[in-house]
């Protein structure tokens, strides 16, 4: 894989090898005998297999967002079915994070939009607390250890700490963090911090999960491990995931569909279905189907990157 | 559990350095005192300027009860003022943080209040509350709360707004965000202020006693001065210094226990 090319590995380099071994270890036995813990509710139980006619979990139409003079999103249309893993790529600054902020309820889009969660029309702020959101940075609290960082969302929901901790402890091995529960964020490598943040997102059990470049700051090796691990976990937990990345390989490797966004103001330029069989092995990236998809996507992205380059390069 | 867990459990926790760090300053202090003792004798400095450390120690040992009573009284005044001032300081920071209009209205007033010299203010407080322990605590309170407010606000402003957004996305309300994010995040800054406030509170209590009282280190200091009891003055200074250092160490100790993550964020 060539995913390392754009990785800004400022924190990722630390302890990469340890991460990788930990994960290989985990993957080794998670594939076989790990049983799903009972506490994991399967909200998005209907798998995507039920077909095209299924009601979307979330639907956006005519969504625009203006910040002062900057138009970040323009008439965006997105629709996500339950159980799907949809990846989003696009030039930087095209409004990907803005889209997530709207879906997480943190930003209200411009008036005139349609936003439906499970068919119910809502405003963005209705979505606060309804979507599990992982922002671009891990944003772990330095005074909380691994377990207590992971249960932050559960605590806010009002779950008693002991119960929340119990649930988190059960999830630790799956996230390659067994034995690290009492460590503090400054004792962890970049990859581990990211997994704690992911675990925090997973424990906040919501129908829709938003991951904003979760592996963006990791080195290539750790990142590849994390992608395989994410697929593994996703297949077991059956969550609906929207995943932002700037890496085309990652977008194809993970996604059921890849959405390519245009340069600012962001719209969906291309919606590419990825019909590669699952479970996907690491060597799938060298298959002709993969390469063909990559070519199509790269062309679309290149076009948009040029545009945004010209716009900002005036 | 695999090798991962064992390697995590055996990560080193520093402890051997602790004892060493505690003994070293004591040794240095003893050496310093000895040096002064020798110097005072060698240069034949008159006790009027600087009594020998051993003479000061003897003075304290001669009437330990008086010093202990004074120490206890001043400690109570300081502690009361310090605790009240710190709590009030944090409370005001929370209020100013939550309601920006209140901050714009009243914060300048707070700052102006601190430009009134505590000496001038002290006379009024003693007039209002009499020669009570409470009056001294009020003066301690008055000069210790502002640094706490200022630093707590500084700590609040260091919070990453994306962190706040994350909490909001979990559905957190203002109180939850305050308790789980703003207050812990402000702790490193808060402790910087608390260390300063502990020293200020002691000054407040001693100065407060000068306006009239019967016990306390400030009283001992005044009495020794009127009686031109130079050794007594120095003895009181030493006891006051011990109290100041004790309070400071107590706050530092709490800081090390509470702000264990070192505020690196
Ligand atoms: N809160 C904000 N205020 C003003 N401008 C913003 C704000 N958030 C994002 N923008 C602008 O909107 C555009 C899209 O940003 P963003 O969604 O972060 O892009 P991406 O995540 O795709 O890199 C950028 O030009 C950015 O400067
Ligand atoms: Mg972004």
């Amino acid at each position: 894989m060539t995913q390392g090319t754009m990785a800004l590995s400022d924190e990722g380099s630390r302890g990469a090898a340890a991460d990788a071994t930990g994960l290989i270890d985990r993957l080794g036995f998670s594939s076989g005998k790990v049983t799903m813990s009972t506490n994991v509710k399967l909200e998005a139980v209907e798998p995507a297999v039920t077909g095209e006619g299924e009601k979307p979990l979330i639907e956006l139409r005519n969504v625009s967002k203006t910040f002062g003079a900057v138009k970040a999103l323009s008439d965006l249309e997105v629709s996500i079915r339950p159980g799907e893993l949809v990846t989003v790529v696009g030039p930087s600054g095209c409004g990907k994070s803005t889209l997530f902020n709207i879906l997480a309820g943190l930003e209200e889009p411009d008036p005139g939009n349609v936003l439906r969660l499970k068919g119910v029309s809502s405003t963005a702020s209705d979505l606060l607390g309804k979507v599990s959101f992982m922002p671009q940075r891990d944003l772990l609290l330095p005074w909380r250890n691994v377990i207590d960082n992971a249960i932050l969302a559960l605590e806010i929901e009002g779950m008693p700490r002991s119960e929340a901790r119990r649930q988190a402890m059960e999830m630790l091995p799956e996230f390659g963090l067994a034995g690290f529960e009492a460590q503090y964020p400054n004792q962890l490598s970049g990859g581990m911090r990211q997994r704690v943040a992911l675990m925090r997102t997973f424990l906040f059990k919501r129908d829709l999960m938003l991951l904003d470049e979760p592996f963006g700051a990791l080195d290539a090796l750790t990142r590849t491990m994390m992608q395989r691990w994410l697929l593994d976990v996703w297949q077991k937990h059956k969550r609906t995931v929207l995943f932002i990345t700037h890496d085309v390989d990652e977008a194809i490797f993970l996604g059921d569909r890849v959405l390519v966004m245009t340069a600012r103001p962001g719209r969906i330029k291309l919606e590419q279905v990825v019909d590669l069989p699952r479970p996907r092995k690491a060597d799938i990236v060298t298959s002709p189907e993969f390469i063909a998809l990559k070519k199509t996507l790269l062309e679309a992205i290149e076009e948009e990157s040029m545009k945004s380059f010209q716009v900002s390069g005036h | 559990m695999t090798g991962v867990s064992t390697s995590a459990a055996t990560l080193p926790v520093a402890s051997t350095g602790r004892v060493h760090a505690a003994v070293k300053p004591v040794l240095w202090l003893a050496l310093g005192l000895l040096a002064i003792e020798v110097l005072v004798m060698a240069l034949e400095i008159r006790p009027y300027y600087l009594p020998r450390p051993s003479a000061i120690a003897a003075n304290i040992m001669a009437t330990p009860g008086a010093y202990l009573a004074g120490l206890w009284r001043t400690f109570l005044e300081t502690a009361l003022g310090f605790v009240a001032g710190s709590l009030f300081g944090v409370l005001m920071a929370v209020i100013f943080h939550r309601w920006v209009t209140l901050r714009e209205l009243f914060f300048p007033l707070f700052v102006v209040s601190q430009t009134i010299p505590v000496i001038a203010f002290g006379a009024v407080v003693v007039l209002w509350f009499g020669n009570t322990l409470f009056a001294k605590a009020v003066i301690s309170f008055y000069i210790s709360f502002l640094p706490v407010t200022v630093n707590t606000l500084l700590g609040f402003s260091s919070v990453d707004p994306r962190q706040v957004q994350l909490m909001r996305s979990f559905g957190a309300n203002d109180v939850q965000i305050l308790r789980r994010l703003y207050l812990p995040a402000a702790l490193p800054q808060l402790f910087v202020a608390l260390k300063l406030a502990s020293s200020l509170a002691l000054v407040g209590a001693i100065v407060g006693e000068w306006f009239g009282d019967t016990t306390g280190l400030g009283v001992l200091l005044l009495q020794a001065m009127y009686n031109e009891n130079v050794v007594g003055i120095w003895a009181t200074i030493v006891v006051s210094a011990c109290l100041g250092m004790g309070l400071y160490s107590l706050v530092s100790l709490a800081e090390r226990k509470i702000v264990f993550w070192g505020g690196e964020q």
Side-chain angles (χ1 to χ4, degrees):
Chain A
M1 285 198 213
T2 56
Q3 296 149 338
T5 46
M6 289 176 82
L8 310 156
S9 63
D10 51 356
E11 48 180 357
S13 51
R14 196 151 54 107
D19 275 337
T21 41
L23 266 176
I24 290 164
D25 212 24
R26 280 306 327 147
L27 285 171
F29 77 93
S30 65
S31 50
K33 68 175 187 188
V34 166
T35 47
M36 272 266 300
S37 38
T38 49
N39 56 316
V40 179
K41 277 192 288 177
L42 301 171
E43 286 102 337
V45 269
E46 295 83 23
V49 187
T50 27
E52 297 295 311
E54 200 180 345
K55 253 192 6 200
L57 174 68
I58 194 145
E59 212 182 344
L60 302 184
R61 200 158 294 156
N62 289 329
V63 168
S64 306
K65 179 70 193 175
T66 321
F67 294 107
V70 176
K71 186 144 195 167
L73 295 176
S74 164
D75 292 330
L76 188 90
E77 295 209 19
V78 180
S79 155
I80 315 282
R81 286 187 298 275
E84 259 190 317
L85 199 168
V86 177
T87 49
V88 182
V89 285
S92 80
C94 74
K96 302 182 296 288
S97 295
T98 305
L99 168 65
F100 269 29
N101 285 339
I102 291 171
L103 286 171
L106 298 168
E107 301 266 18
E108 207 63 55
D110 298 346
N113 65 83
V114 177
L115 211 165
R116 283 204 204 99
L117 180 69
K118 297 185 199 162
V120 182
S121 214
S122 351
T123 60
S125 58
D126 292 337
L127 296 175
L128 278 177
K130 301 246 172 73
V131 164
S132 57
F133 170 54
M134 174 168 166
Q136 221 161 331
R137 287 199 31 209
D138 59 60
L139 297 176
L140 299 178
L141 299 173
W143 54 87
R144 283 179 169 239
N145 62 21
V146 165
I147 271 292
D148 288 347
N149 262 296
I151 64 169
L152 182 63
L154 296 180
E155 250 185 80
I156 287 168
E157 279 186 289
M159 185 184 287
R161 265 193 190 201
S162 53
E163 168 61 15
R165 286 204 181 112
R166 197 187 55 74
Q167 288 194 13
M169 285 302 283
E170 279 176 23
M171 252 197 194
L172 276 179
E174 200 176 356
F175 283 73
L177 292 165
F180 286 89
E181 61 271 12
Q183 302 272 11
Y184 285 86
N186 61 8
Q187 299 170 293
L188 302 178
S189 68
M192 285 167 71
R193 292 176 63 116
Q194 217 62 18
R195 270 178 273 153
V196 177
L198 270 166
M199 190 166 146
R200 181 182 60 197
T201 316
F202 266 85
L203 276 168
F204 189 52
K205 297 175 200 93
R206 292 298 181 269
D207 297 339
L208 181 62
M209 205 153 98
L210 305 174
L211 307 178
D212 192 350
E213 299 196 23
F215 309 145
L218 303 181
D219 62 283
L221 177 63
T222 313
R223 198 201 261 237
T224 314
M225 300 307 305
M226 294 287 287
Q227 289 165 358
R228 284 157 60 184
W229 166 84
L230 179 72
L231 280 186
D232 207 56
V233 174
W234 168 72
Q235 258 157 357
K236 251 185 296 170
H237 290 242
K238 285 292 171 217
R239 301 291 185 80
T240 312
V241 177
L242 202 55
F243 185 109
I244 290 180
T245 173
H246 52 236
D247 180 341
V248 181
D249 286 283
E250 185 169 83
I252 304 169
F253 183 69
L254 296 177
D256 290 318
R257 273 191 292 152
V258 181
L259 306 178
V260 180
M261 283 179 70
T262 63
R264 210 175 60 216
R267 272 178 300 109
I268 303 298
K269 180 190 175 76
L270 176 73
E271 187 186 323
Q272 178 67 57
V273 174
V274 181
D275 43 16
L276 301 171
R278 291 189 192 271
R280 293 176 186 166
K281 294 270 173 304
D283 61 5
I284 204 166
V285 296
T286 54
S287 71
E289 295 88 346
F290 191 98
I291 299 204
L293 282 169
K294 188 172 169 181
K295 195 154 172 282
T296 319
L297 289 169
L298 276 177
E299 268 164 23
I301 294 166
E302 186 109 337
E303 210 180 299
E304 291 310 315
S305 296
M306 285 310 288
K307 265 194 233 161
S308 68
F309 187 72
Q310 279 155 8
V311 170
S312 56
H314 265 300
Chain B
M1 300 267 158
T2 59
V4 177
S5 59
T6 43
S7 70
T10 54
L11 252 140
V13 182
S15 65
T16 43
R18 279 276 166 76
V19 180
H20 202 78
V23 168
K24 229 160 73 176
V26 175
L27 271 173
W28 278 112
L29 187 68
L31 260 162
L33 287 175
L34 193 73
I36 295 171
E37 182 90 23
V38 170
L39 268 178
V40 170
M41 286 201 293
L43 303 176
E44 294 181 342
I45 299 174
R46 279 166 48 206
Y48 183 81
Y49 294 109
L50 184 61
R52 281 180 295 124
S54 61
I56 298 171
N59 181 292
I60 296 174
M61 285 330 218
T63 52
Y67 287 109
L68 270 179
L71 180 79
W72 177 241
R73 168 75 177 211
T74 305
F75 166 74
L76 283 182
E77 295 160 357
T78 308
L80 200 62
F82 170 68
V83 170
S86 306
L87 290 177
F88 180 75
V90 172
L91 180 72
M92 286 325 287
V94 169
I95 290 173
F96 286 159
H97 170 72
R98 178 67 182 75
W99 293 282
V100 180
T101 358
L102 284 182
R103 177 186 192 157
E104 281 159 3
L105 269 166
F106 291 108
F107 192 68
L109 228 98
F110 268 54
V111 176
V112 168
S113 80
Q114 298 299 303
T115 61
I116 305 171
V118 70
I119 306 277
F121 186 71
V124 178
V125 171
V126 173
L127 282 178
W128 285 351
F129 300 102
N131 271 337
T132 57
L133 191 154
F134 184 70
K136 316 307 183 292
V138 167
I139 297 173
S140 282
F141 164 87
Y142 172 80
I143 65 171
S144 59
F145 76 83
L146 190 76
V148 175
T149 302
V150 170
N151 270 41
T152 308
L153 281 171
L154 194 69
F156 286 168
S157 68
S158 74
V159 168
D160 188 338
R162 289 170 297 185
Q163 190 76 64
V164 182
Q165 292 215 316
L166 179 69
M167 303 272 280
R168 289 224 179 285
S169 85
F170 294 146
N173 58 34
D174 283 351
V175 176
Q176 287 174 317
I177 294 178
L178 179 72
R179 235 192 79 193
R180 294 194 166 75
L181 181 59
Y182 279 108
L183 286 178
L187 281 174
Q189 286 296 336
L190 173 63
F191 268 102
V192 172
L194 288 182
K195 283 190 277 190
L196 178 66
S198 72
S199 312
L200 287 176
L202 178 58
V203 171
I206 291 177
V207 169
E209 286 167 6
W210 290 349
F211 291 96
D213 210 333
T214 46
T215 37
L217 294 176
V219 178
L220 287 178
L221 209 57
L222 274 193
Q223 284 173 350
M225 213 167 79
Y226 287 142
N227 301 333
E228 286 190 35
N229 174 4
V230 178
V231 180
I233 293 177
W234 279 99
T236 316
I237 291 173
V238 168
V239 175
S240 306
C242 288
L243 178 55
M245 283 189 287
L247 288 171
Y248 189 92
S249 320
L250 221 63
V251 179
S252 293
L253 191 75
E255 179 184 29
R256 240 175 302 151
K257 284 265 177 287
I258 296 170
V259 193
F260 55 87
W261 66 93
E264 53 83 62
Q265 218 183 16

